[in-house]
Amino acid sequence: QVELVESGGGSVQAGGSLTLSCVASGSLFISNCIAWFRQAPGKEREGVASVHSDTFKTYYGDSVRGRFRIVRDGALKTVYLQMNRLKPEDTGIYYCASKSWECPEGSLGPSSFTDWGQGTQVTVSS
């Protein structure tokens, strides 16, 4: 059983920054992938970014590449999502998720992730 707890959400004006945190505890597999997803009202859950535990290889969705940065602190079992130049379309609930072994190749879909946090709300106003 893996527990993921997100924090750091809030309200910010367009152009601003926020940093989300995801703390993992429990039986996190030694080789794993942790990712951030987001979901806006009425829309499907969208993959934002992922990072692997061993290679630290990262992936970013097209809509956030160049603005967001995912950082992993292995010792603390914490993954951060640094969000810069925020836009109103970045608004949504941000979820942290984990899976064993490799991160998905290509696009970041939610179906292979087995453990999920409760989410943290991010609101960007224009």
Side-chain angles (χ1 to χ4, degrees), residues 33-36 48-52 57-60 70 103 108 113:
C33 176
I34 291 186
W36 286 95
V48 175
S50 67
V51 60
H52 193 264
K57 181 179 178 182
T58 58
Y59 167 89
Y60 295 93
I70 189 168
C103 290
L108 184 58
F113 286 80

Side-chain angles (χ1 to χ4, degrees), residues 4-57:
L4 302 169
V5 179
E6 305 98 333
S7 62
S11 297
V12 65
Q13 288 193 325
S17 299
L18 279 175
T19 296
L20 306 182
S21 300
C22 170
V23 179
S25 63
S27 303
L28 192 63
F29 196 71
I30 191 168
S31 180
N32 59 78
C33 176
I34 291 186
W36 286 95
F37 292 84
R38 67 186 182 189
Q39 190 163 20
K43 293 190 176 182
E44 292 186 353
R45 195 164 293 191
E46 174 191 8
V48 175
S50 67
V51 60
H52 193 264
S53 60
D54 302 340
T55 65
F56 291 89
K57 181 179 178 182

